[in-house]
Structures are given as C-alpha cells and as structure tokens.
Amino acid sequence: MKFENILIETKDKISTITINRPNKLNALNILTIKELHNALEALSSDNSCKVVVITGSGTKAFVAGADISEFYKFSKQEGYQLSQDGQTNLFDFIENYSKPVIAAINGYALGGGLELAMACHIRIASKNTLMGLPEVSLGVTPGYGGTQRLAQLIGKGRAMELILSANMINAERGEKLGLTNHTTTQDELIQFTYELARKMTTNSSTAIAASIKCINSNFKDGENGYITEINEFSNCFQSEDFIEGTNAFIEKRKAKFK
Ligand code: COA
C-alpha cells in the first residue's frame, strides 16, 4: 500500500505509523485521515503486528491539529461531514481497535492532534510537548470527539477549563491530570514507548482485544460494562490462548502465545 502522508514500519511485532507532514506540523488533512484509516485497517489483520504506535515526524509536533487551510471555507454541511467521517473512520476506529494503539506524543498535540492521541488507548509524551484543544480560539468547537474524551480522561471541570480557555498544557501537567500516562525526554520517547509495547506483545492478543472491549463498554450508551466483562471473560475459556496461558502457569513455564 502506498501512502503520501504517513510512513509505516513493523519490527518485533510493533508497527509504527509516523504522520509525515513536518512542514505543516503534521496537520491532519482529509487524505491523512483516510491513509491512517487504511493503514490501521490493513494492520488489524496483519499477524506481524501486535501493537501500533502512532507518532509525528520531526522534533516539533505530534500533530498540530486538523488542517485549518483545508476546512476554513467549508459550509455547515461540509463541516458536519468532516466531523462525522473523521470520528467514524479514524477516532472511533482507533478507540475500538482490537490491538493496543499507543500515541508517542513528540511535540505539539493540538486540536485534532490531541483528539487523535486521546482516541489511542495509551499516551506517552515527551517533555517538549504542548497539548490543548484551541478550537474555540478559531470560532469552532472540537469536532473529533474532543469534548467527550477529554472529560472522560480528566473530568468535566478540567475539560471545561482547558476547552473554554483554549490554553495549552505541558507534558508534566498532562500527566498530573491523567491526560497522559508517562512523560519522557525527547530522546527517550520512542524507546520508552517500545518497551511498554514489547511487554504487550508477550501477552495474549485475544485477551487484550477482549479487555479493550470491556473497558470501552463502560463509556458506551446502552451498554453495561459489567455484563460485557462477564461475556468476554467467559468467551476466553478454553480458547487457544487460555489453554496455553493457564497451562504455562501450572507447568511453571512462560506462556507462548501464537
Ligand atoms: N493546519 C494547517 N496548517 C498548520 C496547522 C494546522 N492546524 N498548524 C500549523 N500549520 C502550518 C502553518 O500554517 C505553517 O505553514 P506555512 O509554513 O506554510 O505557513 C507551518 O505549519 C508551521 O507552523 P507555524 O505556525 O509557522 O509554526 P510556529 O512554531 O510559529 O507555531 C503552532 C506552532 C502550533 C503554535 C501554530 O502552528 C498553531 O497555532 N497552529 C494551529 C494550532 C491549532 O489551532 N490547531 C487546532 C486546529 S482545529
């Protein structure tokens, strides 16, 4: 598959997708969103990939937002389509992805950039990172799930403050608020991210997929996360990974999942 705005590399069961528009601070235009969707779709059935890492190219930005130059003349209808297509094809798609997706935030994560990071399952940020949802300073609301996911991650009051002020926060503050999981130096970001990803590659893919489903279930209208958990838990029983994982424990050896 050929891409214009992203790079993909898979090594040791970890696939890294790099958003590659450094001259535009990796701003998310419609083509980039489409390419990210297509890449993730392909990786979802690729057995050489167990974890996905998303990062930005260059040293300045993860993603500095949706591409303002692309949407600034859009009509209401086009704005609706932009938000709906983006949410469905990328942001919700990542949140519900069956393999862990980790955002390695290597600089500015603004607007759609922070929304992309928030759709990922885990966020690790380098110290040069500045994060925020500055949309109201442009006369618009966040449109890629930011009003919902930010409140889920850091609480309603803090989400209100960050969105209504359009302020940016640094990585340390982001970690304190629970927006990011870890903070590293710029040099250590990718190595640190890979170490966490590597640990995940040793675990059962089917149990990981089921766990992601259970955790997300708590945030879905009309779903009862506890019931989802009972179903997913019981579905694991006598699966190939369950047999290998539990037998390895009994036999005092390390599990080897396929
Ligand atoms: N959409 C489109 N282009 C963007 C962009 C975005 N969200 N963010 C940055 N760019 C482009 C700039 O227009 C500039 O392009 P040019 O060189 O062709 O003029 C290039 O990326 C570099 O950005 P620049 O503003 O010169 O860098 P800076 O270091 O002075 O400032 C930021 C960095 C992140 C503070 C600034 O680019 C910015 O405020 N970006 C928009 C952030 C935003 O509002 N995001 C939410 C969008 S909904």
Side-chain angles (χ1 to χ4, degrees), residues 95-96 213 216-224:
E95 186 169 71
N96 296 307
K213 206 169 163 191
N216 282 337
S217 184
N218 180 242
F219 300 96
K220 290 193 174 151
D221 276 349
E223 280 193 30
N224 179 327

Side-chain angles (χ1 to χ4, degrees), residues 74-87 143-144:
F74 274 14
S75 65
K76 274 186 189 179
Q77 183 51 37
E78 288 170 311
Y80 185 92
Q81 210 60 48
L82 184 73
S83 177
Q84 191 182 48
D85 290 350
Q87 288 199 18
Y144 288 144

Side-chain angles (χ1 to χ4, degrees), residues 21-28 60-61 63-71 108-113 115 130 132-138 140-144 168:
R21 299 183 78 209
N23 295 337
K24 295 291 172 194
L25 302 186
N26 304 320
L28 284 184
K60 207 170 156 183
V63 170
D67 192 323
I68 301 165
S69 66
E70 191 176 62
F71 72 65
Y108 286 117
L110 301 173
E115 289 173 305
L130 285 173
L133 294 178
E135 283 88 344
V136 298
S137 70
L138 297 165
V140 67
T141 66
Y144 288 144
M168 293 187 205

Side-chain angles (χ1 to χ4, degrees), residues 1-161:
M1 214 176 282
K2 268 208 134 209
F3 297 109
E4 220 173 278
N5 295 336
I6 61 171
L7 307 168
I8 307 175
E9 195 190 25
T10 298
K11 206 177 158 208
D12 301 330
K13 306 258 177 210
I14 302 166
S15 297
T16 305
I17 302 179
T18 305
I19 299 163
N20 190 30
R21 299 183 78 209
N23 295 337
K24 295 291 172 194
L25 302 186
N26 304 320
L28 284 184
N29 59 4
I30 292 169
L31 177 64
T32 308
I33 288 179
K34 195 169 173 215
E35 290 189 350
L36 284 166
H37 171 86
N38 290 344
L40 285 161
E41 176 107 300
L43 290 172
S44 68
S45 56
D46 181 345
N47 287 336
S48 67
C49 165
K50 284 188 90 174
V51 179
V52 177
V53 172
I54 300 180
T55 194
S57 74
T59 53
K60 207 170 156 183
F62 172 68
V63 170
D67 192 323
I68 301 165
S69 66
E70 191 176 62
F71 72 65
Y72 79 107
K73 286 192 171 158
F74 274 14
S75 65
K76 274 186 189 179
Q77 183 51 37
E78 288 170 311
Y80 185 92
Q81 210 60 48
L82 184 73
S83 177
Q84 191 182 48
D85 290 350
Q87 288 199 18
T88 308
N89 297 330
L90 186 61
F91 297 80
D92 294 351
F93 190 70
I94 291 176
E95 186 169 71
N96 296 307
Y97 204 64
S98 62
K99 303 179 184 187
V101 185
I102 308 177
I105 308 172
N106 58 315
Y108 286 117
L110 301 173
L114 182 56
E115 289 173 305
L116 176 65
M118 289 194 294
C120 294
H121 302 127
I122 290 161
R123 287 151 291 286
I124 301 169
S126 57
K127 282 184 178 163
N128 61 314
T129 289
L130 285 173
M131 292 171 280
L133 294 178
E135 283 88 344
V136 298
S137 70
L138 297 165
V140 67
T141 66
Y144 288 144
T147 59
Q148 306 305 296
R149 291 194 181 96
L150 187 63
Q152 286 169 10
L153 285 165
I154 68 173
K156 185 176 167 184
R158 285 163 167 168
M160 284 280 187
E161 180 181 334

Side-chain angles (χ1 to χ4, degrees), residues 123-125 131 150 153-155 158 162 169-184:
R123 287 151 291 286
I124 301 169
M131 292 171 280
L150 187 63
L153 285 165
I154 68 173
R158 285 163 167 168
L162 208 56
I169 57 170
N170 64 20
E172 277 94 351
R173 178 80 182 137
E175 186 181 341
K176 259 196 195 128
L177 293 179
L179 180 53
T180 53
N181 298 55
H182 300 280
T183 307
T184 73

